[in-house]
Amino acid sequence: MSRVATPPQAAPVSKPLPIPHDKIAMRAYEKWVKRGRPPGTEVQDWIEAEKELKTEYAKSPMAGAKR
């Protein structure tokens, strides 16, 4: 008898949920206000807000349905 090896199956790739622009904007604004409204941090605040929301949406797929 010979053994046939079955190739490993790749994990299904789920499509990332789109984060609404207004949610990122609001989170970035909140971060900016908490920092004391410093000038010149809008890009950093936006990137951090987007990253946080992506993590939250990944943990809770239902978050995308509550638009």
Side-chain angles (χ1 to χ4, degrees):
M1 278 185 142
S2 64
R3 290 188 177 197
V4 176
T6 307
Q9 296 290 325
V13 176
S14 62
K15 185 177 178 184
L17 293 171
I19 310 292
H21 183 272
D22 60 329
K23 291 195 180 292
I24 300 170
M26 182 57 73
R27 178 71 61 96
Y29 176 78
E30 291 169 354
K31 295 177 82 50
W32 177 68
V33 170
K34 284 182 182 178
R35 288 185 180 165
R37 301 178 182 193
T41 62
E42 60 275 355
V43 173
Q44 178 182 355
D45 294 333
W46 186 274
I47 291 170
E48 289 177 9
E50 189 173 28
K51 184 176 179 181
E52 289 173 7
L53 288 167
K54 282 182 180 179
T55 300
E56 290 173 16
Y57 273 55
K59 288 180 183 176
S60 175
M62 293 306 296
K66 297 179 184 177
R67 291 184 200 165

